[in-house]
Structure formats: structure tokens, C-alpha cells
């Protein structure tokens, strides 16, 4: 088909860039996005390359911008996105950017430090205000004769019944509300009941200055007698992180202190408001230019990272680079180099030379918004070999056709077309919308947990189900009295499966018990561990062992599993042949286990079929009519059975993963429908009674039918995908190439690949 529907013709080219023009030339190539740079310094450490300091400076600026961005998001200030694509700053402008970001970061850190100190002071004054207010109530209650008699009796009783008048000391403070019960029990046990505790809750929550969380606290006052108890009480308060405050003993002093505290709180609140207003102004000003700053810094970092891929000639005046690029875009690349040279002010032009090479070029298929979706479907199977026919243009026609054949509904097709048309019209607005990462983080974590859990449960259920099926074969062998199938069939099969996949189940349960939700990310991969086990690969440092002695146990288990294969493949075939020869020479006798002629010993007879032994005892020396025995056919049949079983253990186990996929999809869709429709409707206070509930239920039922029941659309898509990947593409499509990844600012800013 000539050049029709093939990947672009690529060439390897050499660039000679003058040192003063290299930065601007690479900048222009990044805007063009049509060249892929090769690393000409593969043996040079990244920390020893020429522009490593510039890369570090860009990373430091990026870090400062991320800090400012975090503060902006914390303050719920929207970031302005005008869609502007600023040019790359000149290298001399880096100093100004660094000074701007340094000043902004230091100013925000100073504001945060001062604000935290002010909030801490405000918290202490607020807690002291509540203490002064509550302790006055406590002292008023202590003047109650009945309460005084109770506390005096408590103190005197614990001091051995002494009747001398008591002079009680006290400490007052604030503690987290949830610690009160434990705090009270500890006081009682350590002080042996010689203290009297009163506590009252603070109605409004207080802000933690360090975290910003709202914390519920309680005021307490502890009465005691003697310095020894005083020291014990203070140590307990310190252990429970309770804040103790000085509290005057006389009402007049407490009243005067409360007035002073209220005045200080009012002054401090005014300073806090002014500090917060200043912080908001700084962040709002930064939010207007945050996106432009990010683009400039990341473009600069990408340029210096690319320059580190180049070689520098001996004169230190020229940089040499090698790039892959499409032949059809050579003129555009030359024009970009001229623009870069002119922008830098250099008078020496940059040179591009095509090179001849035997290396396989990368594969590049030009796409647009319409064709990129179908190209992604093809690339998901594998990147095409260089100059291989690209299936994507055919897929544009055949994929919708096969989907329509399987979907087969004009009405639903019209609805899907309308939905697609809506997405096309609203494309720019949908792409510009920002999604709150913290809602989705929760959903992702939950989905990740269910994904891993259900996948492992599918494997467990699958292996148990298969082992149960193998176990049922034992009852058949017993019923038909075929001990040979038990010893050389059932036992090797169950041992083979238990040694490999039964052990895998044990590892799954062990991992669940040994690693909790916080340490599971550091746990070794069971899949990699199982593959390494089968390959006897124990030098993988990236996957640490699960337990001590794992290597020895796994080697023994694999050797046992491997030993089962010749039992099923060779030993059984040879025993069947031995039985045939024994029946053929039936006239021989055996006495007391001593073999005469070709007769079997008692040990051999123990594993022979019951039919053969009974035939020997009934027919005596008379030769019964023998069934035809072809050793080759029996060997081939046994080999097929053994290979099918061993490979089937793997493929069937993987097949059970459909339990995981369908269960997870159904559960997530069901939960979304319930949360977003029924739950919101039932929890709404503005519902219209029975009529409103009927509408909500009807909407829920319709969505349930459309999403959970009418899933032929998704099924048709998946089956069409499989038809293209397997039945269609494998007839001509190898898919073993590597993709052309050009140096492009657009790709870098969109995060399509890591730098």
C-alpha cells in the first residue's frame, strides 16, 4: 500500500548550537514540539552535567511556588487562568525571578509564624478567660455546706481520720474533652483518692494554632492537700498535656484578672484581623500570576534538562545534539532554529545535518482531536514498529461499525450521539474546570483498597474452587476402584496446586495480617514474589521477603511441584505400560511377594487398577481378550493432559479475576447512584412529601436500569476492543516498536510525561 496509513518517516539529525544561542534555540524547539533529543551523555552522572546548577535553581523556584500555591489553596483563593502562554524568560531573568519568589516565600513564612504565635497567645488567653469564669462557679459551689462536708470527709478519711481543719491547695487548667475520663481515673489511682476534681465543658470549640483544627476542651480544678500531692497532680497534668494556668484565690483578684484578660483578647483579636487581611492581600496578588510563574519556571527547567543531554565541543563554544524528527517537518525545525538564533542576538547560525544510522527510529503517527482517541486504542495494545501499517485509520471505520452491530439500538444510539455532541460543544469549558483534589483522593484511596482486596479475594475463591473440583475427582477414583489414578493422578495434581497456588493464598492472608493500612504501601508485591519463586530468582532487591526463611520454603515447594509433573507425565505412562505387559504374560505366579517371571510384587500390585487384579484372580492362567494398547497414543494423551492441567492452573486462576472486575464496577456504580440520588433526596429538608419521594425513586429506578442493567454499551465496547486487539490486529500488527516522544512544552505543562 506504499506510504498509505504508515507511520511518519523519521530521520536522525545532528544539531550544532552556539553556546549563546543554545538556550533560545531549544526554547523554540520546545514550542514547536517536533524533535526528540537523544542523551549523548549516558555514562555521566546527572549531578556532574554542565547545567545541573541551573536545574537545581529551577527546582528550588518550583518548590517555592508550590509552597505559595499550597497557601493559596488553604486560603480558598481561586487561581486566575487567562490561558496565556508566556515566552521562556532569558537566563539573565532567573535572578529576578529567584528574588521575587524568595521575597514572597519569606513574607508568607513570617506572616504564618507571627499568626501562629498570635493564635497561640489568643488561645491561652481564651482558655484563661474560661478558667476564671468557671473557677468562680467552682468556688461558689464549694461554699455549699453539704459539698464542703463531702470533700472534707473524703480528705480526712483518706488521711487516717484526722480531724484537724484542712487548708486545700488547688490547680486549674484546660484539657481535651475526650481525655477527661482517663484523666480522672489516673488522678484517683495515683493520688489514692486524696484529691477532689471538678470539671466543666467549654461550649465553643477552640482553634489549634498549629493545625487549625477545632478542638473541644474542658476546664478543670483539682483540690488537694500538701506539696507531695501537688507534685503528683502536676506530673499527671503534664502527662495528659493539660494546660495549667495561675488562678488567684480571692474573688476580687479573679475579677480584676478577668477584666485584664478580656482587654488583651480584644486587642489581640484586632491584631489577628489585621494580620489575616495582610495575608489575604499577599496571596490574592500572587494568585493572579501563579500560573504564569509556573509556566516560566517549568519551561526553563525543561530547557536546561534538555541542554544536559547535549555534548560540548572542545572549544566550549558549541553544543552538539542528536535528535529524531519527522522528515516532513525539517523545514519547520530549520525555521525554529533561525528564530532562536535571532532572539538570542547571535550572528552565527545553528546547523542541522541529517545523519545515516542503522538504529531503529521511533514510531510517530500524526493525529488530531478526532483520530487521537482511536490511536490511543491501538497504542494500548502496543506501539507499532517503525513504518508499519497503522491500524488506527481502519479502526476509525471498523470500531464504530462493530460497536453498532453489538449495541444494535437506534434510540440508545441517538442518545449517545447527543451526549457526545454535548461533550464536543462544551470541550473547552470542561477541560478548564478544576476539580477539588481532596474529594477525589478519598474516592481513590477507597477504590484502591477495594480494588486490591477484591482482586485477592477473587484469586482466593478461584483457587479454593479449583482445589475443590480436583478433590471431587478423588471420589470418582474411589468409586471406580482406580488406585493408579489416585496415586499418580489426584495426589500429584492436588500437591502441584497446593504447593504453588495454595501457598499463594497463604501469602495473601499473611500479608493482610502482617501489614496494616498504613504500612501496606511498603509491603512487597505478591505477584513479583510469586514470579520470582517460580523462576528461582532471589536476587531482586526491589522486592523484600515477606518472612524469614522464605527462600528455603519456596525452593522446596517449587521442587515438589516440579516433581509432580513427571509423576503425571512419565511415571503413570510407564506404569500403564507395565500393567499391559503384566496382563499379556498373565501365566506367571507370585508367592509371598517374591516375583516369578514377569508377575508384579505386592508393592506394585498395591497401585494397580482393581480390574486388572480381579481379572488375574478370576481367570487364572487363561488369557483374557486384551484391549489394544498403543504406547504412543497413551503417552501423547497423558502429555496433553499434564500440560493442559499445569497451564490451566495459571489461566484458570487468572480467569477468576472477572469476579473482581465485575464486582468492583457494580459496587462502585451502585454506591454512586445511592449517594448522589437517593441519599441526597432522602436527606433533603425541602422534599415535597410523597410526591417528591416518588419522583426521586423514579429517577433512581431509571438510572439503575440504564446504568446497572443496560450495560450492553460498555460490553459492546469491550468486545469490540478485544476483536480489534486479538482477531484483527494480530494478523498484521506486531506492536513492538517504541513511541516518538518529542520535546514539547505543551506535553510538559500538561504532565503527560515526567521530566
Amino acid at each position: 500500500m506504499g506510504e498509505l496509513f504508515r507511520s511518519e518517516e523519521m530521520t536522525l539529525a545532528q544539531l550544532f548550537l552556539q553556546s549563546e544561542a543554545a538556550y533560545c534555540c531549544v526554547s523554540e524547539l520546545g514550542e514547536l514540539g517536533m524533535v526528540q533529543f537523544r542523551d549523548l551523555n549516558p555514562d555521566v552522572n546527572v549531578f556532574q552535567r554542565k547545567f545541573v546548577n541551573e536545574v537545581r535553581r529551577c527546582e528550588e523556584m518550583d518548590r517555592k511556588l508550590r509552597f505559595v500555591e499550597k497557601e493559596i489553596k488553604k486560603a480558598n483563593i481561586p487561581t486566575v487562568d487567562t490561558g496565556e502562554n508566556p515566552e521562556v524568560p532569558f537566563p539573565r531573568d532567573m535572578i529576578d525571578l529567584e528574588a521575587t519568589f524568595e521575597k514572597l516565600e519569606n513574607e508568607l513564612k513570617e506572616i504564618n509564624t507571627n499568626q501562629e504565635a498570635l493564635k497561640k497567645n489568643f488561645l491561652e488567653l481564651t482558655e484563661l478567660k474560661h478558667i476564671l469564669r468557671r473557677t468562680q462557679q467552682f468556688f461558689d459551689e464549694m461554699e455549699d455546706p453539704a459539698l464542703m462536708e463531702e470533700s472534707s470527709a473524703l480528705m480526712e478519711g483518706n488521711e487516717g481520720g484526722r480531724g484537724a481543719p484542712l487548708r486545700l491547695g488547688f490547680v486549674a487548667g484546660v484539657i481535651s474533652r475526650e481525655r477527661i475520663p482517663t484523666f480522672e481515673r489516673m488522678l484517683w489511682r495515683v493520688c489514692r483518692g486524696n484529691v477532689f476534681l471538678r470539671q466543666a465543658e467549654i461550649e465553643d470549640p477552640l482553634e489549634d494554632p498549629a493545625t487549625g483544627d477545632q478542638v473541644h476542651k474542658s476546664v478543670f480544678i483539682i483540690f488537694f492537700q500538701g506539696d507531695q500531692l501537688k507534685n503528683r497532680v502536676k506530673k499527671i497534668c503534664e502527662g495528659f498535656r493539660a494546660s495549667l494556668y495561675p488562678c488567684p484565690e480571692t474573688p476580687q483578684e479573679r475579677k480584676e484578672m478577668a477584666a485584664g484578660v478580656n482587654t488583651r483578647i480584644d486587642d489581640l483579636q484586632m491584631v489577628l484581623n489585621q494580620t489575616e487581611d495582610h495575608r489575604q492581600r499577599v496571596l490574592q496578588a500572587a494568585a493572579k500570576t501563579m500560573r504564569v510563574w509556573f509556566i516560566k519556571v517549568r519551561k526553563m527547567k525543561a530547557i536546561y534538562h534538555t541542554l544536559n543531554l547535549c555534548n560540548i565541543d572542545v572549544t566550549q563554544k558549541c553544543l552538539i545534539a542528536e535528535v529524531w524528527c519527522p522528515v516532513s517537518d525539517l523545514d519547520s525545525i530549520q525555521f525554529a532554529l533561525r528564530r532562536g538564533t535571532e532572539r538570542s542576538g547571535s550572528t552565527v547560525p545553528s546547523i542541522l545535518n541529517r545523519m545515516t544510522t542503522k538504529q531503529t527510529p521511533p514510531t510517530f503517527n500524526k493525529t488530531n482531536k478526532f483520530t487521537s482517541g482511536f490511536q490511543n486504542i491501538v497504542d494500548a495494545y502496543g506501539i507499532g514498529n517503525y513504518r508499519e501499517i497503522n491500524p488506527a485509520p481502519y479502526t476509525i471505520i471498523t470500531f464504530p461499525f462493530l460497536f453498532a452491530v453489538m449495541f444494535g439500538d437506534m434510540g440508545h444510539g441517538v442518545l449517545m450521539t447527543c451526549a457526545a455532541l454535548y461533550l464536543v460543544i462544551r470541550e473547552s469549558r470542561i477541560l478548564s474546570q478544576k476539580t477539588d483534589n481532596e474529594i477525589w483522593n478519598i474516592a481513590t484511596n477507597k477504590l484502591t483498597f477495594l480494588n486490591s482486596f477484591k482482586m485477592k479475594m477473587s484469586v482466593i475463591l478461584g483457587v479454593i474452587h479449583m482445589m475443590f473440583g480436583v478433590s471431587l475427582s478423588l471420589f470418582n477414583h474411589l468409586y471406580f476402584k482406580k488406585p493408579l489414578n489416585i496415586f499418580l493422578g489426584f495426589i500429584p495434581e492436588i500437591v502441584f496446586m497446593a504447593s504453588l497456588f495454595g501457598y499463594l493464598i497463604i501469602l495473601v492472608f499473611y500479608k493482610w495480617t502482617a501489614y496494616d493500612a498504613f504500612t501496606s504501601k511498603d509491603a512487597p508485591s505478591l505477584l513479583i514474589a510469586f514470579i520470582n519463586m517460580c523462576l528461582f530468582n532471589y536476587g531482586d532487591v526491589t522486592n523484600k521477603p515477606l518472612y524469614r526463611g522464605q527462600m528455603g520454603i519456596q525452593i522446596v515447594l517449587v521442587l515438589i511441584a516440579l516433581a509432580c509433573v513427571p509423576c503425571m507425565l512419565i511415571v503413570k505412562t510407564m506404569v500403564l505400560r507395565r500393567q499391559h505387559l503384566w496382563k499379556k504374560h498373565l501365566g506367571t505366579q507370585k508367592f509371598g511377594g517374591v516375583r516369578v517371571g514377569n508377575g508384579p510384587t505386592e508393592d506394585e500390585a498395591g497401585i494397580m487398577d482393581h480390574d486388572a487384579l480381579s481379572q488375574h484372580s478370576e481367570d487364572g492362567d487363561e488369557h483374557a481378550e486384551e484391549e489394544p494398547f498403543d504406547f504412543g497414543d497413551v503417552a501423547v494423551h497423558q502429555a496433553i493432559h499434564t500440560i493442559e492441567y499445569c497451564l490451566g492452573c495459571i489461566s484458570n486462576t487468572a480467569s477468576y479475576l472477572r469476579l473482581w472486575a465485575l464486582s468492583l464496577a457494580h459496587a462502585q456504580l451502585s454506591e454512586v447512584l445511592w449517594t448522589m440520588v437517593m441519599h441526597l433526596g432522602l436527606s433533603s429538608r425541602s422534599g415535597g412529601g410523597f410526591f417528591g419521594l416518588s419522583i426521586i425513586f423514579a429517577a433512581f429506578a431509571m438510572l439503575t436500569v440504564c446504568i446497572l442493567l443496560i450495560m450492553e454499551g460498555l460490553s459492546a465496547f469491550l468486545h469490540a476492543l478485544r476483536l480489534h486487539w486479538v482477531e484483527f490486529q494480530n494478523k498484521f500488527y506486531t506492536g513492538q516498536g517504541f513511541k516518538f516522544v518529542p520535546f514539547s512544552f505543551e506535553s510538559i505543562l500538561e504532565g503527560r510525561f515526567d521530566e
Side-chain angles (χ1 to χ4, degrees):
M1 299 182 67
E3 298 296 314
L4 185 61
F5 299 153
R6 295 186 184 274
S7 59
E8 290 288 320
E9 182 182 359
M10 307 294 291
T11 183
L12 183 65
Q14 193 173 42
L15 295 179
F16 294 90
L17 308 174
Q18 296 301 313
S19 298
E20 63 273 12
Y23 181 91
C24 292
C25 289
V26 173
S27 171
E28 293 295 333
L29 293 177
E31 299 289 353
L32 181 64
M34 280 299 166
V35 297
Q36 176 178 339
F37 284 83
R38 297 182 61 208
D39 190 358
L40 301 183
N41 308 296
D43 300 327
V44 180
N45 190 290
V46 291
F47 301 106
Q48 297 176 342
R49 302 197 180 194
K50 180 175 178 57
F51 300 96
V52 63
N53 291 329
E54 286 78 1
V55 173
R56 286 176 176 173
R57 292 169 65 184
C58 292
E59 289 177 346
E60 181 64 15
M61 289 190 292
D62 192 84
R63 182 197 62 78
K64 294 175 181 177
L65 287 177
R66 290 198 304 270
F67 166 75
V68 177
E69 184 184 39
K70 182 180 178 181
E71 295 296 319
I72 292 174
K73 290 182 178 179
K74 189 186 299 184
N76 295 323
I77 299 176
T79 303
V80 179
D81 185 2
T82 60
E84 180 185 359
N85 183 22
E87 292 186 351
V88 181
F90 287 101
R92 59 179 177 269
D93 297 332
M94 184 184 293
I95 298 177
D96 296 334
L97 288 175
E98 286 177 323
T100 302
F101 301 155
E102 181 76 17
K103 179 182 177 182
L104 182 58
E105 183 190 32
N106 291 338
E107 187 175 7
L108 283 175
K109 285 184 176 180
E110 184 179 358
I111 293 174
N112 291 343
T113 302
N114 295 336
Q115 194 174 44
E116 184 176 348
L118 291 172
K119 286 184 177 180
K120 183 178 180 182
N121 195 4
F122 183 83
L123 175 64
E124 293 174 350
L125 291 174
T126 305
E127 291 178 346
L128 180 56
K129 179 185 71 173
H130 286 286
I131 286 176
L132 294 173
R133 182 186 305 170
R134 293 294 184 179
T135 50
Q136 183 60 43
Q137 299 176 4
F138 293 153
F139 279 109
D140 293 341
E141 294 173 357
M142 287 297 293
E143 294 178 0
D144 184 6
L147 193 59
M148 290 184 65
E149 182 178 353
E150 177 185 351
S151 61
S152 298
L154 179 64
M155 296 291 185
E156 292 174 4
N158 286 283
E159 291 293 332
R162 299 173 185 172
L166 294 176
R167 178 173 177 81
L168 300 179
F170 68 91
V171 293
V174 175
I175 191 173
S176 297
R177 189 177 300 175
E178 65 271 8
R179 295 179 180 173
I180 284 290
T182 311
F183 179 63
E184 189 171 2
R185 287 195 299 270
M186 183 62 69
L187 279 173
W188 180 265
R189 292 173 182 174
V190 174
C191 299
R192 301 179 181 178
N194 294 320
V195 295
F196 189 72
L197 171 68
R198 298 301 307 277
Q199 60 92 16
E201 295 180 355
I202 300 177
E203 294 81 3
D204 299 327
L206 303 178
E207 181 182 353
D208 188 337
T211 63
D213 298 334
Q214 298 295 321
V215 182
H216 293 274
K217 294 188 175 183
S218 297
V219 173
F220 67 87
I221 185 169
I222 305 171
F223 296 94
F224 52 82
Q225 183 183 21
D227 293 337
Q228 186 176 4
L229 283 179
K230 181 179 180 180
N231 294 332
R232 291 184 183 180
V233 168
K234 287 189 174 181
K235 287 182 179 179
I236 294 174
C237 292
E238 181 181 353
F240 279 85
R241 296 182 182 178
S243 301
L244 299 180
Y245 293 92
C247 182
E249 296 185 2
T250 63
Q252 183 63 29
E253 292 177 345
R254 288 195 291 269
K255 185 176 180 180
E256 293 175 357
M257 179 178 283
V261 168
N262 289 332
T263 303
R264 292 173 61 189
I265 287 177
D266 294 338
D267 296 340
L268 196 57
Q269 184 65 59
M270 184 182 300
V271 177
L272 275 172
N273 293 338
Q274 294 175 354
T275 304
E276 181 61 26
D277 291 341
H278 177 57
R279 183 172 182 271
Q280 289 288 328
R281 288 193 298 269
V282 172
L283 292 177
Q284 287 174 357
K288 296 179 181 179
T289 55
M290 181 59 59
R291 182 180 178 276
V292 174
W293 283 342
F294 265 122
I295 293 175
K296 289 182 177 180
V297 170
R298 289 176 181 174
K299 282 185 176 181
M300 293 176 68
K301 179 182 175 182
I303 292 173
Y304 284 119
H305 176 77
T306 303
L307 290 175
N308 275 333
L309 305 178
C310 305
N311 270 337
I312 302 177
D313 70 343
V314 292
T315 63
Q316 300 289 319
K317 295 182 179 180
C318 180
L319 274 73
I320 304 172
E322 292 183 4
V323 297
W324 290 109
C325 57
V327 175
S328 59
D329 292 319
L330 285 175
D331 292 339
S332 300
I333 296 171
Q334 291 276 20
F335 185 64
L337 291 175
R338 285 198 296 270
R339 281 201 313 268
T341 303
E342 293 172 358
R343 187 183 171 201
S344 66
S346 175
T347 57
V348 180
S350 301
I351 301 173
L352 184 147
N353 290 331
R354 293 186 62 178
M355 302 172 62
T356 58
T357 179
K358 294 183 180 180
Q359 298 183 18
T360 303
T363 301
F364 176 49
N365 297 297
K366 286 187 176 180
T367 58
N368 52 36
K369 286 185 178 180
F370 175 72
T371 60
S372 61
F374 296 94
Q375 189 66 55
N376 289 335
I377 291 176
V378 173
D379 292 344
Y381 175 82
I383 304 299
N385 290 2
Y386 176 63
R387 302 294 287 163
E388 187 176 20
I389 292 179
N390 183 19
Y394 309 102
T395 305
I396 294 175
I397 301 174
T398 58
F399 193 93
F401 176 77
L402 293 178
F403 177 86
V405 170
M406 290 184 286
F407 194 70
D409 192 296
M410 179 177 289
H412 291 162
V414 171
L415 293 177
M416 294 182 67
T417 303
C418 293
L421 183 61
Y422 171 80
L423 294 176
V424 170
I425 295 175
R426 306 273 294 185
E427 177 188 9
S428 58
R429 183 171 299 181
I430 293 174
L431 291 177
S432 63
Q433 290 178 351
K434 304 294 183 180
T435 305
D436 189 355
N437 291 329
E438 295 182 2
I439 295 173
W440 288 107
N441 280 342
I442 296 175
T444 302
N445 290 341
K446 181 177 181 182
L447 186 62
T448 302
F449 169 75
L450 291 177
N451 181 39
S452 176
F453 178 78
K454 291 192 174 184
M455 180 177 65
K456 292 182 175 66
M457 283 303 300
S458 299
V459 174
I460 292 172
L461 293 176
V463 173
I464 293 175
H465 198 194
M466 289 188 294
M467 293 184 70
F468 177 70
V470 176
S471 301
L472 290 178
S473 66
L474 174 63
F475 297 94
N476 280 334
H477 302 327
L478 292 173
Y479 179 80
F480 293 108
K481 300 180 179 179
K482 294 186 176 180
L484 181 63
N485 289 347
I486 296 176
F487 290 101
L488 298 179
F490 165 76
I491 293 179
E493 289 175 357
I494 201 72
V495 170
F496 179 87
M497 183 172 289
S499 300
L500 297 179
F501 300 96
Y503 173 71
L504 178 61
I505 292 179
I506 296 175
L507 288 184
V508 171
F509 282 107
Y510 177 81
K511 184 176 179 181
W512 280 345
T513 56
Y515 295 89
D516 55 21
F518 298 98
T519 60
S520 59
K521 63 179 183 298
D522 299 324
S525 170
L526 292 183
L527 177 60
I528 297 177
F530 187 74
I531 294 175
N532 290 339
M533 168 185 171
C534 296
L535 298 178
F536 294 97
N537 180 17
Y538 295 99
D540 188 0
V541 296
T542 62
N543 204 55
K544 62 182 180 181
L546 279 161
Y547 58 90
R548 184 178 301 176
Q550 179 177 345
M551 175 179 173
I553 293 177
Q554 291 184 169
I555 290 176
V556 172
L557 290 175
V558 175
L559 291 178
I560 292 174
L562 293 177
C564 295
V565 176
C567 291
M568 296 182 285
L569 181 63
I570 300 174
V571 178
K572 186 176 180 181
T573 305
M574 299 305 297
V575 172
L576 287 173
R577 180 175 179 274
R578 179 67 178 175
Q579 285 185 2
H580 170 71
L581 294 176
W582 172 71
K583 287 189 292 184
K584 187 175 182 180
H585 303 281
L586 198 59
T588 58
Q589 302 290 327
K590 66 182 182 68
F591 298 95
V594 179
R595 179 160 50 183
V596 179
N598 292 326
T601 65
E602 289 181 347
D603 295 334
E604 290 177 335
I607 63 170
M608 288 186 175
D609 290 350
H610 179 269
D611 296 338
L613 294 177
S614 60
Q615 182 181 0
H616 172 65
S617 61
E618 292 174 2
D619 296 345
D621 293 334
E622 298 180 3
H623 293 278
E625 183 178 356
E626 297 180 359
E627 296 180 358
F629 180 84
D630 191 325
F631 179 80
D633 290 344
V634 173
V636 171
H637 172 77
Q638 194 62 30
I640 293 174
H641 172 75
T642 303
I643 296 173
E644 181 183 12
Y645 176 81
C646 296
L647 296 181
C649 288
I650 302 173
S651 61
N652 292 341
T653 302
S655 181
Y656 276 96
L657 292 177
R658 68 189 68 218
L659 299 173
W660 152 55
L662 296 179
S663 173
L664 186 64
H666 186 83
Q668 292 299 314
L669 290 174
S670 300
E671 183 177 353
V672 168
L673 275 183
W674 172 259
T675 304
M676 302 304 296
V677 181
M678 285 297 290
H679 182 71
L680 289 179
L682 293 175
S683 61
S684 176
R685 299 181 179 179
S686 60
F690 178 80
F691 180 75
L693 188 60
S694 300
I695 295 178
I696 293 171
F697 181 78
F700 175 76
M702 180 185 66
L703 291 174
T704 300
V705 172
C706 293
I707 297 178
L708 297 180
L709 301 182
I710 309 177
M711 294 296 290
E712 284 82 2
L714 179 59
S715 176
F717 176 85
L718 294 176
H719 281 285
L721 191 66
R722 186 269 164 103
L723 290 174
H724 281 77
W725 280 4
V726 181
E727 280 77 10
F728 176 61
Q729 291 180 190
N730 70 348
K731 301 297 189 300
F732 64 95
Y733 187 66
T734 306
Q736 295 181 351
F738 60 99
K739 194 173 184 178
F740 173 64
V741 184
F743 171 65
S744 170
F745 288 146
E746 182 181 0
S747 301
I748 294 171
L749 296 176
E750 291 179 0
R752 287 205 290 262
F753 64 90
D754 295 331
E755 297 180 30

